[in-house]
């Protein structure tokens, strides 16, 4: 009898402890828009207009591909009500940035857009406020991209042969590592809570390959007529450059690796559900 | 209750807690800073000679944020768990180096040209920030978050050897640029007044110079700065430049050269130790 009573108490403690632990887990979802930060000039990415009504001009187009909509899904754990840990999965749908070069004979258009799926493990420090029932919190974590890509579109109009060339490339490969800092306010409503966050991210991304997806001349595809060298590019730490240049049509073009800014500062709104 | 009332209530609550837990303290500290979120700068990359017809190019991504960082901070304990601070820090920039060696055909005789470029920046940062410190224990973690205002100068030192040796230094100046910083730290309360802390800082901003000027120009050790006209000595950087006198950038030998604006990345991760004293 005594043994059974002890077993019941132990079972009750285990269940109670388990429930208490379970109550400290929460799921969260938020979304928002991020403005660019740490914008950089990218080679060949400027506006030029020779046909301007005043004087021809060149205009710099500094960009950060972190600009755009962010969607975050996270799992959090509160150790004590004042300190916690979160793992967020984040998706960036980047805004398109473009440049135009217009000369008296020709027109060149280029656009770049980034997409990034990343995991962000973070430490959370919480300052509870009793009235109103809120948490003022901050979070610092590392951003590790799981999948990243950049969409690069070009259009070239050549007056002399009345041709319109359009190409789409996907730049991908490798991963980005950066940091994320967040300051937020959470309105605690019981099981479901609402929060608003200032979300700062600093990172750059260096793709390792570029692949042509589509290529048209005056609307007709010509991609099958192009060689591997025309369609594929690999970005390397080191390349050998010969004079005269040696071109192998069956090998991708080799170019030195470059990095693109993905830093941003944004505002996110979301809900969290205590499990 | 409307959101406005809630915000007012929150503000009053904080004000009440300030009145109950007033505390002013200052901190000093320092530590190394390493570049992160590195990016290509200008057209710089390393070049080595393989043979007379082949060169090896190596990518060299950089951040001007590397170097040594020193900090002074005055902070006010708003509540037991939240401080507000104003901080001044100084980055003594470390050099990012490029080296480019090439064989130059000089009347069928190949001679080596060598170009070495060092770029770095010395930068002040002023940051108002909030410090979240939820534990009142002897050892406690904290997070600091805030914007930063950054101002200073960057430098490009070039040594070029081919037939003669040319040494030049170009100094870049520009307006205040803003960024963002976050610290993850831990502090140890040594006694009633003294604290020791260690923190990792992530700091990011870009410096956008509006002007550069060559301040040193020597050929074989002889100062030749006076021989440079304004067009060669000074450059102004603009977001938009119009064509004047037929050629972009050149607007006369007694006027600065015009170039499209550039950005110098300053993202960094910094490690710092320091002490705080309660006033």
């Amino acid at each position: 009898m005594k043994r059974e009573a002890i077993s019941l108490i132990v079972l009750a403690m285990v269940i109670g402890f388990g429930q208490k632990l379970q109550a400290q887990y929460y799921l969260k979802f938020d979304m928002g828009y991020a403005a660019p930060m740490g914008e950089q000039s990218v080679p060949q990415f400027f506006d030029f207009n020779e046909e301007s009504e005043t004087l021809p001009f060149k205009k710099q187009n500094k960009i950060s591909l972190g600009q755009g909509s962010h969607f975050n899904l996270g799992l959090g754990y509160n150790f004590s009500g004042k300190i916690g840990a979160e793992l967020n999965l984040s998706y960036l749908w980047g805004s398109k940035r473009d440049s135009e070069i217009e000369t008296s004979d020709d027109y060149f258009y280029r656009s770049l857009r980034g997409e990034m799926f990343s995991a962000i493990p973070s430490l959370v420090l919480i300052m509870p406020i009793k009235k109103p029932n809120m948490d003022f919190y901050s979070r610092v974590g590392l951003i590790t991209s799981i999948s990243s890509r950049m969409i690069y579109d070009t259009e070239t109009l050549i007056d002399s042969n009345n041709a319109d060339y359009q190409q789409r490339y996907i730049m991908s490969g490798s991963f980005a590592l950066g940091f994320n800092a967040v300051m937020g306010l959470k309105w605690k409503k019981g099981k479901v809570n609402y929060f608003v966050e200032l979300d700062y991210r600093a990172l750059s991304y260096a793709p390792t390959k570029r692949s042509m997806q589509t290529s048209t001349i005056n609307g007709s595809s010509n991609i099958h007529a192009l060689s591997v060298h025309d369609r594929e590019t690999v970005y390397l730490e080191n390349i050998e450059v010969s004079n005269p240049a040696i071109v192998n049509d069956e090998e991708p073009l080799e170019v030195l690796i470059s990095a693109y800014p993905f830093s941003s500062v944004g505002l996110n709104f979301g809900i969290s559900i205590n499990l | 209750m409307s959101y406005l009332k809630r915000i007012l209530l929150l503000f009053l609550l904080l004000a009440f807690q300030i009145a109950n837990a007033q505390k002013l303290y200052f901190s000093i500290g320092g530590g190394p800073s390493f570049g992160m979120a590195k990016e290509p700068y200008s057209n710089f990359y390393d070049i080595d000679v393989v043979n007379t017809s082949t060169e090896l190019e190596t990518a060299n991504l950089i951040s001007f944020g590397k170097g040594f960082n020193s900090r002074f901070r005055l902070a006010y304990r708003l509540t037991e768990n939240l401080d507000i601070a104003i901080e001044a820090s100084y980055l003594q920039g470390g050099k990012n180096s490029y080296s480019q060696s090439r064989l130059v055909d000089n009347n069928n005789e190949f001679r080596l040209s060598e170009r070495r470029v060092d770029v770095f920046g010395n930068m002040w940062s002023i940051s108002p920030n909030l410090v979240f410190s939820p534990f009142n224990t002897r050892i406690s973690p904290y997070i600091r978050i805030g914007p930063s205002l950054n101002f200073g100068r960057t430098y490009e030192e070039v040594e070029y050897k081919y037939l003669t040796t040319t040494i030049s230094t170009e100094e870049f100046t520009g307006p205040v640029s803003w960024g963002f910083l976050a610290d993850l730290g831990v502090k140890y309360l040594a006694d009633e007044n003294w604290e020791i802390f260690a923190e990792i800082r992530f700091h990011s901003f870009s410096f956008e110079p509006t002007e550069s000027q060559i301040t040193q120009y020597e050929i074989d050790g002889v100062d030749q700065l006076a021989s440079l006209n304004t067009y060669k000595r000074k450059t102004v950087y603009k977001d938009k430049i119009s064509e004047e006198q037929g050629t972009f950038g050149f607007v006369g030998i007694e006027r600065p050269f015009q170039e499209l604006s550039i950005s110098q990345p300053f993202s960094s991760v910094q490690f710092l130790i320091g002490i705080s004293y309660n006033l």
Side-chain angles (χ1 to χ4, degrees):
Chain A
M1 187 68 184
K2 192 179 173 186
R3 187 181 291 173
E4 286 166 357
I6 290 171
S7 300
L8 278 173
I9 290 167
V10 169
L11 184 65
M13 283 175 68
V14 168
I15 291 169
F17 185 63
Q19 281 177 341
K20 192 182 175 199
L21 277 183
Q22 204 176 35
Q24 290 166 337
Y25 281 104
Y26 56 92
L27 263 179
K28 58 192 286 259
F29 173 75
D30 62 273
M31 57 190 287
Y33 187 80
M37 261 213 75
E39 291 175 287
Q40 296 289 324
S41 47
V42 172
Q44 304 301 314
F45 215 74
F46 57 85
D47 291 335
F48 173 76
N49 193 333
E50 206 175 57
E51 298 291 88
S52 168
E53 287 176 2
T54 55
L55 284 170
F57 67 83
K58 262 202 279 193
K59 186 168 170 287
Q60 185 63 278
N61 262 336
K62 292 195 189 106
I63 60 170
S64 171
L65 298 172
Q67 178 183 3
S69 302
H70 287 260
F71 305 89
N72 307 303
L73 181 67
L75 178 67
Y77 181 77
N78 255 330
F79 293 106
S80 71
K82 287 188 170 182
I83 187 167
E86 282 185 12
L87 177 64
N88 285 286
L89 298 175
S90 178
Y91 179 70
L92 161 72
W93 176 266
S95 299
K96 190 158 78 172
R97 297 297 304 266
D98 51 20
S99 79
E100 288 179 302
I101 296 175
E102 196 169 350
T103 68
S104 53
D105 298 324
D106 309 317
Y107 171 80
F108 305 91
Y109 171 84
R110 295 177 177 91
S111 76
L112 262 177
R113 191 174 72 73
E115 289 178 19
M116 187 176 282
F117 182 56
S118 53
I120 311 173
S122 313
L123 178 76
V124 190
L125 294 186
I126 305 153
M127 197 186 83
I129 300 164
K130 286 178 183 168
K131 286 184 180 178
N133 193 14
M134 298 168 81
D135 281 346
F136 189 24
Y137 62 90
S138 60
R139 197 169 74 230
V140 172
L142 287 175
I143 306 174
T144 310
S145 71
I146 298 166
S147 168
S148 313
R149 65 178 201 162
M150 290 158 51
I151 295 106
Y152 178 51
D153 287 326
T154 66
E155 181 174 10
T156 308
L157 296 171
I158 306 292
D159 268 4
S160 57
N161 59 359
N162 205 21
D164 177 5
Y165 301 88
Q166 290 190 30
Q167 267 120 25
R168 165 162 289 193
Y169 301 88
I170 300 292
M171 299 158 81
S172 60
S174 184
F175 72 97
L177 189 66
F179 83 90
N180 175 222
V182 166
M183 193 158 56
L185 266 178
K186 183 192 273 186
W187 282 263
K188 295 197 283 192
K189 299 282 187 185
K191 199 172 172 67
V192 179
N193 306 301
Y194 306 91
F195 60 87
V196 57
E197 293 179 342
L198 182 71
D199 182 326
Y200 174 62
R201 297 173 188 215
L203 73 163
S204 63
Y205 171 56
T208 52
K209 60 182 177 184
R210 189 178 82 168
S211 189
M212 186 187 283
Q213 302 296 299
T214 59
S215 175
T216 61
I217 302 175
N218 294 330
S220 301
S221 176
N222 70 329
I223 193 164
H224 299 298
L226 300 175
S227 67
V228 173
H229 189 78
D230 292 330
R231 287 186 278 119
E232 306 290 332
T233 302
V234 289
Y235 298 96
L236 303 169
E237 293 282 349
N238 300 290
I239 55 173
E240 278 197 357
V241 179
S242 299
N243 186 15
I246 302 164
V247 176
N248 182 344
D249 282 345
E250 299 307 312
E251 295 289 333
L253 173 67
E254 293 184 350
V255 174
L256 276 185
I257 201 162
S258 190
Y260 295 82
F262 267 75
S263 298
S264 65
V265 59
L267 201 60
N268 298 335
F269 299 90
I271 59 167
S272 71
I273 300 165
N274 294 331
L275 299 177
Chain B
M1 195 186 287
S2 72
Y3 285 109
L4 192 63
K5 281 182 182 171
R6 286 177 194 202
I7 290 167
L8 188 63
L9 196 62
L10 177 66
F11 178 77
L12 287 173
L13 186 75
L14 285 174
F16 178 74
Q17 288 187 324
I18 289 167
N20 280 287
Q22 288 184 352
K23 217 166 191 182
L24 197 64
Y25 63 94
F26 75 86
S27 311
I28 54 169
S33 176
F34 303 92
M36 67 169 285
K38 294 179 182 180
E39 287 163 19
Y41 174 63
S42 195
N43 286 318
F44 291 136
Y45 46 89
D46 294 331
I47 303 173
D48 289 305
V49 174
V50 177
N51 54 47
T52 53
S53 61
T54 310
E55 292 173 345
L56 179 69
E57 296 181 353
T58 305
N60 195 344
L61 308 180
I62 66 157
S63 169
F64 283 73
K66 72 185 271 194
F68 189 88
N69 210 288
S70 310
R71 256 171 248 171
F72 176 82
R73 185 184 294 149
L74 191 64
Y76 189 79
R77 199 146 284 158
L78 285 173
T79 73
E80 284 186 342
N81 308 117
L82 185 69
D83 304 349
I84 187 166
I86 181 83
E87 175 190 297
S89 65
Y90 182 71
L91 172 73
Q92 178 70 46
K95 289 180 178 177
N96 294 281
S97 300
Y98 299 90
S99 67
Q100 300 185 332
S101 303
R102 288 195 144 121
L103 284 175
V104 180
D105 188 352
N106 183 24
N107 296 325
N108 293 325
E109 183 190 352
F110 284 100
R111 299 189 69 158
L112 190 67
S113 80
E114 292 175 287
R115 187 169 185 245
R116 182 185 166 87
V117 182
D118 293 321
V119 294
F120 63 98
N122 298 331
M123 200 62 61
W124 281 97
S125 298
I126 305 291
S127 169
N129 50 60
L130 285 175
V131 188
F132 294 75
S133 175
F135 299 102
N136 299 312
T137 47
R138 203 169 183 84
I139 299 175
S140 60
Y142 62 89
I143 289 176
R144 177 191 313 281
I145 293 182
S148 67
L149 297 171
N150 310 281
F151 54 93
R153 286 162 194 259
T154 58
Y155 301 87
E156 194 174 297
E157 296 174 346
V158 182
E159 183 183 56
Y160 180 68
K161 291 179 182 172
Y162 178 69
L163 304 178
T164 59
T165 298
T166 306
I167 294 173
S168 66
T169 302
E170 192 168 5
E171 192 174 302
F172 296 74
T173 53
V176 172
S177 56
W178 79 282
F180 217 86
L181 60 84
D183 291 346
L184 180 61
V186 62
K187 60 186 178 184
Y188 170 73
L189 188 64
D191 67 25
E192 197 175 286
N193 290 319
W194 291 95
E195 276 179 355
I196 302 166
F197 62 88
E199 56 196 30
I200 300 174
R201 164 164 296 185
F202 302 101
H203 189 194
S204 180
F205 66 95
S206 287
F207 180 62
E208 299 187 355
T210 49
E211 192 176 308
S212 69
Q213 181 164 348
I214 292 173
T215 55
Q216 180 195 18
Y217 185 71
E218 292 175 4
I219 298 175
D220 288 337
V222 180
D223 184 5
Q224 301 281 349
L225 189 62
S227 70
L228 299 178
N229 51 40
T230 307
Y231 155 68
K232 286 187 174 170
R233 205 173 66 248
K234 282 187 175 179
T235 305
V236 291
Y237 300 89
K238 296 177 172 180
D239 282 337
K240 186 175 175 180
I241 53 177
S242 297
E243 188 174 8
E244 289 180 44
Q245 299 178 352
T247 309
F248 277 117
F250 176 75
V251 286
I253 58 166
E254 291 310 322
R255 291 177 64 187
F257 184 69
Q258 296 187 46
E259 219 173 85
L260 277 183
S261 57
I262 57 171
S263 287
Q264 296 172 334
F266 263 87
S267 292
S268 62
V269 54
Q270 302 166 13
F271 298 89
L272 175 130
I273 54 170
I275 52 171
S276 296
Y277 181 74
N278 292 320
L279 295 172

